[in-house]
Amino acid sequence: MTDVVRVEDLRRTFRTGAIEVQAVRGVSFAVTEGAMVAIMGPSGSGKTTLMNMLGCLDRPTGGHYFLGGEDVARKGDDALARIRNRRIGFIFQSYNLLPALNALENVELPLVYRGLAAGERHLLAAQALSEVGLGRLTSFRPYELSGGQQQRVAIARALAGTPDLLLADEPTGNLDSASGEEVLDLFLELHRGGRTLIIVTHDEQVALHCERIIRLRDGEVLLDQPVDARQRRTKGDLGSRAVAP
Amino acid sequence: MSLGEGLRMAWRALAANRMRAGLTMLGIIIGVAAVIALITAGQAATSSVTSSVQALGSNLISVTPVRSAGVILYPEDARWLLEVVPQIRADAPLVEASVTASYETVSWSTTLIGTTPAALAIEGRKLAAGRFLDAQDLRLDRSVAVLGQTVAQNLFPGRNPLGQTVSVNGTEFTVVGVLQSVGGAFGANADNVIIVPISAAEWVAGTTELTGIEAEARSAAIAPLAVAQITAVLNHRFATTNAAAVISQDQILSTLSTVTATLTLMLGGIAGISLLVGGIGIMNIMLVTVSERTREIGLRKAMGASRRAILSQFLIESALLSLAGGAIGVVVGIALSLLLTHLLGAGGVSLSAVLLALGFSLLVGIVFGIWPAANASRLDPVQALYHS
Ligand SMILES: Nc1ncnc2c1ncn2[C@@H]1O[C@H](COP(=O)(O)OP(=O)(O)OP(=O)(O)O)[C@@H](O)[C@H]1O
Ligand SMILES: [Mg+2]
């Protein structure tokens, strides 16, 4: 199988005045097409920093990042914008929907920057929204939707451009467990559909839904293991049913 | 991202903050309206001055002796000038004096002009009633007067002055004619005159010295030559280099139009400054907008918006803001211009002023939008996205 992502000795050092913070210090791993990987680690271990580099929002200060075999670590702003637009779907903890736009328009956003005509955009966005089960809420504004629904709109937005790689930074962090399970179910479905997913999480239960867990500590890979098939969850389960009386 | 898409985005962003957009536009509205109205006023002044000068007769040349050079002209010099300068067809001596004219209990300050019958044609004036001075009046030394409109209206409100007797500094004159107004708000002085035979004016003024001579060139083409010739013969006769100020109507016109053009430019410039201030208002608001929408910019970048796309988004927004202000300003400016035209009795909305103001407002929006838009486009995606 081809590697969608391969990082070699990836580094990111922040400099603020005299202070230097090595947020990511020499991380190497590869993710094959269709994989579903969790990244875990304590707060400040460099998860978000790593994800931002994987998402081409940020450039590493050292090492290599091969996205679909192409080294993108030293590319210019415009090239990175193009990669973000066409090859990456990013999902944030805080959804990041634009409040002035309705669900459909939010999902259309990456397609606008791809230069698609309005008709085609509507079609693709509507498709993506029905894929996440919100086909009937296209004209709702973010404030009219629940947190879980908002995150599903954000997932639809990431899907609409049919990217090679889906990245989610604590996608369930802001959700109650029932909504979190819905989102996890959605990820499992996307995984079954052959999408490549990397999910950052603090939640062991979330990680157990993935095939593999990469554990970071102080900007380095501590452990990189497949999830035991017996422990693995194949259905969204964060214990909300168990808690119910 | 297409221009249409950018315009739609900008429109939505402005519509989401109507109050702010409206107040920001106000600066541009005032600036554009002021540019249009003031240019209209300036052009009204120009056309009014031009038309009143043109009303003086097309080939008019005025000769004013320079007294400080010891040059004094007398009525017979007008006849002499006509003989020695073949380029002029007619001329008229002028004796002017400031006087008080009265009829019954009404008094009026005005200018008495003593001249000959030729003056009417030379100045290109027309009669509203009665007749002008004629050869008999001069030969028989008649005390007759022709009134300008202003004098007629003030001394004889609602009455017919013909045949009445007016007293000018104590000397009585019978009114035989009334001149038509030369019109124009700026030409009012030419209507505040009493014209009498030259000998009578000499009597009232107590001098036979001429204030000047008005001559008519044979054609407009020959006028410059006539000016040169008059200057030459006077200089020769008085053995000096500046016997008289000899000015053709063309020269007066060009001098005046230089003055009024400068006036128009100045008025437009002053109004332009207010447009500039409006532009600074736009820049201010765009800077606020960019900093308020940092997270949105970060998200758009994360979704693949290039620097250019962000730059044009905010540039289109500021351009639209100032262009919309400009369009409203044009409407207000045209309304003001029509009002001014009505009040001044001259002018009309200038299309070039409208286009200039619109173009300038668009330019202001782009120029003052560049810095905020460039700031937005340069934001780092990660920092913008996690900006609190
Ligand atoms: N822009 C920055 N400038 C300076 N230091 C930074 C910057 N961004 C992150 N860091 C530092 O890098 C380290 C890793 O941060 P990062 O946000 O990647 O951690 P994380 O694993 O995502 O933590 P959390 O679980 O709390 O989200 C931290 O010490 C953080 O303070
Ligand atoms: Mg983080």
Side-chain angles (χ1 to χ4, degrees), chain A residues 43-44 46-49 93 169-170 200 202, chain B residues 386:
Chain A
S43 191
K47 305 183 295 294
T48 296
T49 307
Q93 179 173 354
D169 191 357
E170 300 198 41
V200 165
H202 270 299
Chain B
Y386 296 100

Side-chain angles (χ1 to χ4, degrees), chain B residues 10 51 54 65 73 87 97 106 207 217 235 271-272 316 334 344 347 352:
Chain B
S51 68
Q54 271 163 351
L73 293 175
Q87 291 88 350
V106 191
T207 173
N235 283 348
I316 288 171
I334 287 176
L344 298 177
S352 58

Side-chain angles (χ1 to χ4, degrees), chain B residues 1 110 171:
Chain B
M1 198 183 57
T110 183
T171 306

Side-chain angles (χ1 to χ4, degrees), chain B residues 133-165:
Chain B
L133 310 176
D134 63 21
Q136 296 277 30
D137 295 333
L138 269 84
R139 206 171 51 238
L140 302 177
D141 230 347
R142 285 182 185 146
S143 294
V144 292
V146 176
L147 308 184
Q149 273 295 327
T150 308
V151 178
Q153 277 163 19
N154 284 283
L155 289 184
F156 302 94
R159 296 166 67 177
N160 183 3
L162 292 185
Q164 304 294 335
T165 303

